[in-house]
Amino acid sequence: MPGATIGKPIGYIDQDVYEAARAFTGWTIADGVSTGKGETLPNTGSFYYQDGWHDKLSEAGARR
């Protein structure tokens, strides 16, 4: 990756991709399926945020 040898990568690094993926955890499509905890998602076909499925560990917390 350009700039990586001097500690200033130009572009995306693996950690950027991991953080972007973490931001999307918890989101699904409301398609009426069971959440696995005795609940059922609505059946609207819309995006739906399920808090229990979200990875709440922040990047700062991961470095500790």
Side-chain angles (χ1 to χ4, degrees):
M1 171 180 292
T5 57
I6 60 171
K8 296 181 180 178
I10 299 168
Y12 298 108
I13 60 173
D14 288 349
Q15 195 61 37
D16 295 327
V17 176
Y18 302 146
E19 289 300 310
R22 180 176 285 138
F24 288 110
T25 62
W27 286 97
T28 189
I29 301 295
D31 58 0
V33 300
S34 172
T35 64
K37 294 185 178 185
E39 300 172 7
T40 302
L41 296 176
N43 192 12
T44 62
S46 299
F47 287 109
Y48 185 82
Y49 179 73
Q50 181 71 18
D51 189 58
W53 296 349
H54 180 65
D55 181 355
K56 293 179 175 70
L57 179 65
S58 70
E59 169 62 18
R63 289 184 185 160
R64 292 183 185 161

